[in-house]
Amino acid sequence: MRDDVIPDVPAPRRRSLLLGAGVLGAGAALAGCSAGPESTNDTGGRGSGKDRTLTAVIGYGNDGSWDPTQTASAFAMAANNHIYEGLLDTDPITRVPYPALATALPADPKATTWRFTLRDGATFHDGKPVTADDVVFVFDRVLDPKTQTLAKGFFASWLESVRAAGPRTVELRLGFPFPDGLSRLTLAKIMPAHVYSRPGAWDDAVRGLAVGSGPYRQTAHHPKSNTTFEAFAAYNGPRRPVFRKMNWLTIVDASSRVARISGTGAGAQIADNIPYANIPRLQQGGLKVAGGAGMNNLFLMFNTRHKPFDDVRVRQALHYAIDSEKMVRVALKGHGRPASSFLDEGNPGYRRARTVYDYDPGKAKALLRAAGVTGLNVEVMAVNVSWIVDCLPTIKSCWDAVGVRTTLAPQETTAVFTKMDQRRDYQVVAAASNPNQFGLDADLIMRYNYGPENLWMRYTRWADDPVARRLFQDMDRATREPDPARKKAMIQDYIDVVAEQAVLYPVVHNELMTAWDPRELTGIRPQPYPGINLLQARWI
């Protein structure tokens, strides 16, 4: 069963982001690029002791976009956190910001001007110094109204401009006080202007060109096989490289991924996206398996231009009809919870929503009758991520039971979202999402999924609905609210609207499991979002 590449939330230029892979143009810091089979791309030279190569297995494709301003690829985002730096970066678990390229956090997070001094001696992987102009170069791209980037949605609502105030000093001007913006600065990875301003360089970034200032530099990139890294000797920042070399394998097939981390033929020390059914056997073999609960979820997305899904009662009925407790018990082996809000219960901004879709087939039937819907046939277009596929039979049996004849159509993630980008007609999509890749703050999470120019809203065809327009206004007011308690309440209130409308809404939130060999590695902290972070790990 496959776990296909999960760009957990679609980004602009979705088709190119998902399909963009191949031979790179000439670029600094790339030692090689091919698309050969894994057996020809395994770099070897494992060494011994502390000089040996760390091998990691990533359960997502490495052939999505690597452009930090665009990507939502699980593999690329995890890798970019080792290759690039922001002015500030965040702890991978707590998401508390710390100085990365900048030397300090602003003295007053509530100020409308933040000034940062760059770390003395910071250099890119090609040996060129990091300058204020590089910082401005990246933020100009993010804020450019003519350039549609995923990162724009994280900054445009509150950040007005970024300017150089000296060779190593930058000044950020905010439209209003926004302390939450500090943690978002990790999403603006600083990239060398002399590399990415040349013609075609952004396309190269999509295909895998990665030149940063972080603790590891990319040495080779083989789409659909592996990506390799080595410690950057000139790095002088806060997260020093520990592993001399790393080889990250992309293995989207669940059984192959488990085999690579376990048994006598184990060739890796750590793997993410571990299937629940394999946990006991891996633990018996001496591996540590731990999970992180967060925003990872199975969601349903409705085409509101395809009748009868324009009727909120039909959308609600299909949610009420799903036995989500059974889904957690059978498909997720207990590693999840039915959604009681758009946010997971561990999020700091969580409040139980006013509308919660507890299993109620009687209510589902009544809502369908009230909407005048009978004999409904539904095709569920789903991504073929293994745990999503495991959940689909519960959806079908429950919908069939309330008189909705259901056909399941799982397919490659790329196929699903290519159809979305081509504006093809559809009824319902079932897919995986995890906004925690980008952070924990509720404003960020909700803007990632809802907004007048948001790609998800274009997929749902809902942005012009009067309820949606009021929702977007409420979101803007909440973003600008200076009082934290009031802001939290305002966000929770508009999440109640999102829950009631059920246009794009989670069914269950589940844990993501990571396995590693505790006889070889220490300092591993499993993430509640896809990928791994090895910046604080080390050899035993």
Side-chain angles (χ1 to χ4, degrees):
M1 187 173 294
R2 287 178 57 91
D3 274 335
D4 211 327
V5 54
I6 305 180
D8 295 84
V9 184
R13 296 177 63 200
R14 159 63 59 188
R15 191 177 185 190
S16 66
L17 299 195
L18 289 172
L19 302 181
V23 179
L24 296 177
L30 273 183
C33 178
S34 73
E38 180 186 312
S39 59
T40 65
N41 289 332
D42 205 336
T43 58
R46 291 175 57 83
S48 60
K50 292 186 177 180
D51 286 336
R52 64 194 185 276
T53 298
L54 179 136
T55 300
V57 179
I58 310 298
Y60 308 94
N62 72 342
D63 57 343
S65 173
W66 281 65
D67 175 357
T69 71
Q70 292 276 29
T71 191
S73 161
F75 192 113
M77 287 193 68
N80 284 345
N81 285 333
H82 296 74
I83 296 170
Y84 293 97
E85 299 175 280
L87 289 171
L88 306 180
D89 282 328
T90 61
D91 181 89
I93 306 302
T94 67
R95 311 313 280 266
V96 173
Y98 62 86
L101 271 172
T103 56
L105 275 69
D108 182 8
K110 295 182 179 180
T112 55
T113 299
W114 293 339
R115 180 171 283 218
F116 296 97
T117 299
L118 301 183
R119 186 177 72 240
D120 188 30
T123 59
F124 289 113
H125 297 157
D126 62 359
K128 301 290 181 64
V130 182
T131 70
D133 289 340
D134 297 304
V135 178
V136 173
F137 169 74
V138 169
F139 278 102
D140 280 352
R141 174 173 168 81
V142 169
L143 297 176
D144 182 0
K146 298 179 181 178
T147 303
Q148 292 303 314
T149 63
L150 178 61
K152 180 181 296 181
F154 304 135
F155 293 97
S157 63
W158 57 274
L159 181 60
E160 289 188 345
S161 64
V162 177
R163 72 176 187 91
R168 293 177 45 245
T169 304
V170 293
E171 189 174 88
L172 278 64
R173 294 187 179 274
L174 285 61
F176 48 88
F178 192 67
D180 287 341
L182 292 177
S183 62
R184 297 192 191 184
L185 292 180
T186 189
L187 300 173
K189 299 301 186 187
I190 305 307
M191 307 168 73
H194 65 273
V195 172
Y196 291 99
S197 62
R198 61 181 175 76
W202 288 113
D203 290 333
D204 288 344
V206 168
R207 293 191 290 266
L209 175 65
V211 184
S213 62
Y216 294 93
R217 70 181 188 92
Q218 185 197 79
T219 53
H221 177 55
H222 310 286
K224 300 186 181 297
S225 173
N226 71 315
T227 303
T228 62
F229 314 81
E230 70 177 18
F232 179 42
Y235 179 74
N236 66 348
R239 296 287 187 267
R240 300 297 179 94
V242 171
F243 306 106
R244 188 175 66 86
K245 292 185 178 182
M246 297 193 297
N247 184 22
W248 287 20
L249 310 177
T250 170
I251 303 180
V252 297
D253 178 77
S255 60
S256 299
R257 187 164 62 253
V258 170
R260 195 62 184 253
I261 191 70
S262 63
T264 57
Q269 292 82 43
I270 184 170
D272 76 341
N273 197 15
I274 297 298
Y276 305 123
N278 294 105
I279 293 173
R281 181 166 68 85
L282 294 177
Q283 291 174 328
Q284 291 167 7
L287 297 184
K288 175 73 173 177
V289 185
M295 270 294 293
N296 207 65
N297 67 85
L298 179 156
F299 67 87
L300 297 180
M301 178 173 67
F302 293 93
N303 179 357
T304 61
R305 297 283 177 86
H306 189 122
K307 291 184 177 296
F309 307 109
D310 59 330
D311 193 321
V312 64
R313 294 170 295 185
V314 175
R315 302 193 297 265
Q316 290 180 338
L318 293 178
H319 271 278
Y320 279 119
I322 298 173
D323 188 345
S324 52
E325 292 280 1
K326 177 183 177 182
M327 184 180 288
V328 169
R329 185 175 65 253
V330 175
L332 304 181
K333 311 300 181 188
H335 293 278
R337 290 186 177 183
S340 56
S341 167
F342 197 95
L343 303 176
D344 66 284
E345 294 181 21
N347 188 283
Y350 169 84
R351 182 183 73 193
R352 184 177 172 87
R354 188 170 58 235
T355 303
V356 176
Y357 296 100
D358 295 324
Y359 179 48
D360 193 338
K363 190 168 187 176
K365 291 178 182 178
L367 284 166
L368 291 171
R369 285 196 300 270
V373 173
T374 58
L376 180 61
N377 294 306
V378 174
E379 179 183 85
V380 181
M381 185 164 59
V383 299
N384 65 343
V385 178
S386 62
W387 70 269
I388 295 287
V389 172
D390 291 343
C391 291
L392 294 178
T394 300
I395 295 176
K396 174 175 170 53
S397 64
C398 290
W399 286 0
D400 285 345
V402 297
V404 177
R405 190 171 181 177
T406 306
T407 301
L408 302 176
Q411 52 202 273
E412 298 282 339
T413 300
T414 51
V416 172
F417 288 104
T418 295
K419 291 173 183 175
M420 296 294 98
D421 289 337
Q422 294 173 347
R423 305 282 295 179
R424 294 191 195 178
D425 190 34
Y426 74 97
Q427 294 175 296
V428 185
V429 164
S433 177
N434 196 327
N436 285 162
Q437 289 185 114
F438 306 99
L440 288 177
D441 79 82
D443 178 271
L444 177 152
I445 289 169
M446 298 311 298
R447 284 186 175 277
Y448 194 57
N449 290 275
Y450 283 82
E453 297 181 0
N454 184 284
L455 191 62
W456 289 110
M457 292 298 95
R458 293 203 291 274
Y459 290 162
T460 62
R461 284 80 151 165
W462 191 63
D464 291 332
D465 187 281
V467 176
R469 290 199 293 270
R470 288 195 298 272
L471 171 68
F472 304 148
Q473 293 172 356
D474 290 343
M475 293 173 72
D476 286 340
R477 283 192 287 268
T479 298
R480 292 176 173 272
E481 173 57 47
D483 180 74
R486 176 61 182 153
K487 179 176 183 175
K488 180 178 179 179
M490 292 170 72
I491 292 174
Q492 290 169 334
D493 287 346
Y494 76 63
I495 287 177
D496 284 340
V497 176
V498 169
E500 180 186 51
Q501 290 297 309
V503 171
L504 185 156
Y505 202 71
V507 176
V508 291
H509 292 106
N510 69 310
E511 288 184 282
L512 290 174
M513 310 304 293
T514 301
W516 69 94
D517 192 336
R519 296 158 296 194
E520 297 198 68
L521 295 176
T522 187
I524 301 297
R525 293 186 294 164
Q527 299 178 167
Y529 50 94
I532 57 175
N533 188 300
L534 300 172
L535 296 180
Q536 293 175 289
R538 64 184 186 275
W539 293 116
I540 293 292

